[in-house]
């Protein structure tokens, strides 16, 4: 089975929730459709949704909530 | 003056700016820093640097206890809050004073009186300064907002009482929008500022943003003239100049009203009174008071020759105002361009990274306030301001011409910046003639600016 990757489009801080009280956008193992929001990037006090450019099952996050991320970095993998 | 050592509770270009004024006064400096700022210019040039925590501001520059503990441990006399972070937090000002230290800024009671937008509106109305038609107190319900909207008309602005600096504002076009946006605006204000209170004001589209720079010593105030900050994107200033192009009679009126407002609040230190000037009706309206040093203070320094940060320190150290109004003259013209780490080609997406090479224009009347150096890392945690290019010349025309040359000479590689936006603005016919208002830049970006 091939692995699909979700890459960060921008540099920033990665969050898995819209706010500390919110539910995670995606939990480990969830399936993901094209365009689903998988996280939020905070870049210099502005917030940007990170949408999946691929679809697949069983998401595995490779970065933690609050980690600094770089453009092109693999944020998560999906079973394609 | 009783201050011999200052802790700087800020970062970036303003920390560097404060350290330079302290050095000129012979005042020792202690710079606090987060993980991300360990190699920053402010840390390098301060007499002492103290690590206070992790990179997110909540764990460092917003942590009141860590900052006050560092100030006590380093035996400083005073804390300078800069702008943003804790600068307009009256509880922090109180905590600094309770710890036996000096807060370089107005008293907590002045900040409370002027920082809350509704109480500031009430104060200025009580001394006869006009405010835009709208609420006289906090809105109690959406029904009250609808009732009031029948008097103000549409479009109107729904504003967070605890907001400021362009945040917590929505433009509402009709009653349906008012009903649907009201709960959301209140919830957002609660989340952002810890206070969901809202008020409303008539929206004035073709207005200039004119603000008056004030210095006060608690007993009396002087003004350092006004600035025009009408070139804004998403209510954030992009380009500021002094003096503005309003008539001498309106200038005098605004400056005198700004002094009255600040004297009514027993204002101490540097502050800014913001107005909107309706270019159609030629009416002006009080907008808000910013109880801190502002990003764009250098244009006022360039036309008055007064070091505003130095004056703040002297006044808060116990000195009386060093100037009578008649001592202050406005000479020539100054323009500031904010150079931000944002990509104009991607709808101004902020983009942190590494400054690979840097070339800064130099010459008489050219100033670049910044924390940048070659190889420096611009972290993703804080705002996108990299530096401010400020140019002075005897006339506005000469200033624009010199600014155009300076912008061409400013070279900054490694990350996208707003330098290219300013190069386009400086040659635009409306900008050259001074024919713009607060809505101009966003319209211009849509119609004139090739992304």
């Amino acid at each position: 089975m091939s692995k699909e990757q979700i890459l960060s489009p921008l540099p920033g801080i990665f969050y898995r929730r819209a706010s500390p009280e919110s539910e995670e956008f995606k939990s480990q193992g969830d399936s993901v459709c094209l365009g689903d929001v998988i996280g939020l990037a905070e870049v210099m006090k502005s917030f940007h949704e990170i949408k999946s450019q691929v679809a697949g099952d069983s998401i595995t996050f490779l970065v933690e909530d609050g980690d600094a991320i770089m453009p092109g970095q693999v944020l998560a993998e999906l079973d394609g | 003056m009783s201050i011999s050592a200052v802790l700087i509770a800020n970062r970036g270009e303003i920390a560097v700016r404060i350290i330079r004024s302290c050095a000129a006064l012979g005042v020792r400096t202690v710079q606090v820093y987060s993980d991300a700022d360990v190699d920053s210019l402010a840390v390098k040039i301060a007499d002492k640097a103290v690590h206070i925590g992790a990179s997110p501001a909540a764990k460092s520059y917003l942590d009141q206890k860590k900052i006050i503990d560092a100030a006590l441990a380093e035996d400083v006399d005073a804390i300078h809050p800069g702008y943003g972070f804790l600068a307009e937090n009256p509880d922090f000002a109180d905590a600094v004073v309770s710890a036996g230290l000096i807060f370089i800024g107005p008293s907590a009671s002045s900040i409370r009186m002027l920082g809350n937008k509704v109480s500031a509106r009430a104060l200025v109305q009580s001394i006869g300064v006009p405010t835009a038609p709208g609420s006289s107190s906090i809105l109690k319900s959406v029904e009250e907002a609808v009732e009031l909207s029948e008097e103000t008309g549409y479009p109107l602005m729904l504003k967070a009482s605890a907001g400021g600096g362009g945040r917590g504002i929505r433009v509402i076009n009709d009653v349906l929008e008012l009903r649907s946006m009201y709960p959301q605006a209140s919830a957002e204000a609660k989340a952002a500022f810890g206070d969901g209170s809202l008020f409303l004001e008539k929206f004035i589209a073709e207005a200039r943003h004119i603000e008056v720079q004030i210095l006060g010593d608690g007993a009396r105030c002087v003004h350092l003239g006004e600035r025009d900050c009408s070139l804004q994107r998403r209510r954030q200033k992009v380009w500021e100049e002094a003096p503005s192009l309003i008539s001498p009679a309106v200038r005098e009126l605004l400056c005198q009203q700004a002094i009255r407002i600040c004297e009514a609040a027993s204002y101490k230190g540097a502050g800014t009174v913001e107005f909107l000037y309706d270019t159609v009706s030629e009416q002006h309206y009080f907008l808000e008071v910013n109880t801190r040093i502002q990003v764009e203070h250098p244009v006022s320094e360039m036309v008055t020759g007064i070091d505003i940060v130095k004056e703040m320190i002297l006044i808060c150290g116990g000195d009386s105002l060093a100037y009578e109004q008649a001592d202050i003259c406005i000479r020539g013209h100054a323009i500031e361009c904010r150079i931000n780490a944002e990509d104009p080609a991607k709808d101004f997406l902020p983009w942190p990274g590494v400054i690979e090479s840097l070339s800064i224009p130099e010459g008489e009347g050219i100033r670049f306030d910044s924390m940048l150096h070659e190889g420096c890392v611009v972290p993703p945690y804080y705002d996108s301001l990299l530096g401010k290019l400020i140019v002075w010349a005897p006339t506005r025309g000469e200033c624009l011409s010199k600014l155009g040359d300076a912008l061409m000479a400013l070279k900054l590689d490694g990350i996208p910046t707003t330098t290219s936006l300013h190069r386009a603005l400086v040659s635009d016919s409306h900008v050259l003639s001074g024919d713009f208002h607060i809505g101009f830049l966003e319209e211009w970006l849509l119609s004139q600016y090739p992304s």
Side-chain angles (χ1 to χ4, degrees):
Chain A
M1 193 183 287
S2 68
K3 289 272 187 194
E4 295 277 6
Q5 295 181 327
I6 302 174
L7 307 181
S8 175
L10 67 169
I13 317 301
F14 182 73
Y15 297 107
R16 289 184 53 191
R17 299 172 167 84
S19 70
E21 301 81 39
S22 309
E23 300 261 318
E24 291 173 343
F25 291 106
K26 292 285 174 186
S27 300
Q28 296 278 9
D30 281 358
S31 57
V32 173
C33 297
L34 204 65
D36 277 2
V37 176
I38 64 132
L40 213 54
E42 180 185 1
V43 194
M44 300 176 134
K45 296 166 77 179
S46 70
F47 288 85
H48 305 267
E49 287 180 341
I50 296 184
K51 291 177 180 165
S52 181
Q53 306 294 326
V54 292
D57 295 324
S58 191
I59 187 168
T60 308
F61 283 94
L62 302 180
V63 288
E64 301 288 327
D65 193 67
D67 276 0
I69 53 172
M70 292 304 292
Q73 183 175 347
V74 182
L75 303 177
E77 288 180 336
L78 300 170
D79 292 334
Chain B
M1 207 271 289
S2 63
I3 297 173
S4 60
V6 166
L7 179 140
I8 295 107
N10 212 296
R11 62 174 303 284
E13 68 89 18
I14 195 63
V16 173
R17 169 75 190 82
I18 295 164
I19 291 169
R20 298 241 151 98
S21 281
C22 287
L25 285 167
V27 167
R28 183 168 61 90
T29 49
V30 176
Q31 176 64 50
V32 294
Y33 66 96
S34 69
D35 287 349
D37 284 332
V38 60
D39 293 320
S40 68
L41 184 56
V43 165
K44 287 188 177 77
I45 65 171
D47 294 313
K48 175 97 188 264
V50 178
H51 178 255
I52 51 162
S55 302
K59 293 178 179 165
S60 46
Y61 301 107
L62 289 172
D63 189 324
Q64 301 188 24
K65 186 172 184 306
K66 280 183 182 165
I67 290 167
I68 291 171
D69 286 351
L72 294 172
E74 296 301 324
D75 200 24
V76 302
D77 311 298
I79 296 181
H80 198 306
Y83 52 66
F85 298 123
L86 298 167
E88 291 174 279
N89 182 327
D91 297 335
F92 180 63
D94 270 339
V96 170
V97 172
S98 298
L101 300 164
I102 294 168
F103 178 78
I104 301 180
S107 68
S109 74
S110 297
I111 299 174
R112 285 196 180 94
M113 204 182 291
L114 298 171
N116 182 289
K117 305 305 157 207
V118 172
S119 66
R121 259 175 79 90
L123 171 76
V124 308
Q125 284 165 356
S126 76
I127 56 171
V129 175
T131 56
S135 312
S136 52
S137 58
I138 289 163
L139 292 166
K140 286 171 202 72
S141 65
V142 66
E143 292 311 323
E144 189 190 344
V146 170
E147 207 171 293
L148 199 55
S149 75
E150 285 161 16
E151 292 168 31
T152 59
Y154 289 92
L156 57 81
M157 286 191 289
L158 199 53
K159 294 183 166 186
S161 181
R167 300 180 313 138
I169 299 173
R170 269 159 204 271
V171 177
I172 307 281
N173 291 301
D174 56 49
V175 68
L176 284 175
E177 253 184 48
L178 180 58
R179 285 189 186 280
S180 71
M181 293 291 205
Y182 187 95
Q184 200 182 335
S186 180
E188 279 183 16
K190 175 93 179 119
F193 313 112
D195 176 357
S197 306
L198 301 174
F199 68 106
L200 67 80
E201 270 180 8
K202 185 176 172 57
F203 177 65
I204 299 150
E206 301 219 341
R208 281 181 177 274
H209 176 111
I210 308 286
E211 58 182 38
V212 179
Q213 176 68 53
I214 292 289
L215 281 174
D217 62 9
R220 73 185 176 94
C221 293
V222 292
H223 71 79
L224 273 58
E226 86 292 5
R227 301 183 280 260
D228 185 317
C229 315
S230 302
L231 291 177
Q232 305 184 356
R233 182 180 166 274
R234 298 191 178 165
R235 290 176 221 295
Q236 297 303 311
K237 296 162 189 165
V238 166
W239 159 306
E240 303 100 344
E241 46 186 295
S244 72
L245 302 175
I246 55 173
S247 72
V250 175
R251 167 178 304 134
E252 186 56 21
L253 184 62
L254 297 192
C255 289
Q256 291 308 321
Q257 290 188 345
I259 287 177
R260 272 166 50 206
I261 292 166
C262 289
E263 287 187 343
S266 304
Y267 200 86
K268 197 158 130 186
T272 300
V273 181
E274 299 187 334
F275 295 94
L276 283 181
Y277 178 69
D278 186 333
T279 54
V280 179
S281 70
E282 301 187 344
Q283 296 293 306
H284 70 278
Y285 305 102
F286 167 81
L287 198 58
E288 65 185 46
V289 181
N290 292 322
T291 59
R292 58 165 194 269
I293 187 77
Q294 276 189 296
V295 173
E296 61 273 25
H297 75 276
V299 290
S300 300
E301 295 186 327
M302 297 292 266
V303 296
T304 59
I306 294 172
D307 179 334
I308 296 172
V309 176
K310 181 179 137 196
E311 296 305 322
M312 290 176 87
I313 297 167
L314 290 173
I315 291 164
C316 294
D319 285 7
S320 297
L321 259 179
Y323 299 90
E324 298 291 334
Q325 191 62 56
D327 300 335
I328 300 164
C329 299
I330 307 296
R331 247 186 82 247
H333 197 92
I335 300 175
E336 172 182 280
C337 295
R338 295 194 190 194
I339 308 300
N340 293 341
E342 294 170 10
D343 191 347
K346 289 184 181 158
D347 197 27
F348 295 89
L349 182 67
W351 201 270
V354 179
I355 305 295
E356 286 162 7
S357 70
L358 176 67
S359 176
I360 297 166
E362 287 173 12
E364 200 196 335
I366 299 175
R367 167 173 166 183
F368 190 62
D369 279 21
S370 176
M371 71 301 204
L372 296 181
H373 52 90
E374 279 187 10
C376 85
V377 175
V378 178
Y381 301 96
Y382 316 108
D383 69 42
S384 59
L385 184 67
L386 295 174
K388 307 173 319 203
L389 177 64
I390 308 115
V391 170
W392 180 92
T395 64
R396 185 169 188 268
E398 290 166 280
C399 186
L400 284 161
S401 161
K402 193 192 262 191
L403 175 62
D405 293 344
L407 282 164
M408 290 315 289
L410 176 64
K411 299 248 179 352
L412 219 159
D413 296 318
I415 52 175
T417 76
T418 52
T419 309
S420 57
L421 166 71
H422 289 294
R423 286 178 186 156
L425 279 173
V426 80
S427 57
D428 178 82
S429 62
H430 289 271
V431 174
L432 289 172
S433 64
D435 174 22
F436 47 74
H437 54 76
I438 50 171
F440 170 83
L441 181 57
E442 289 189 5
E443 289 165 23
W444 182 89
L445 285 168
L446 288 174
S447 62
Q448 304 283 314
Y449 190 59
S451 266

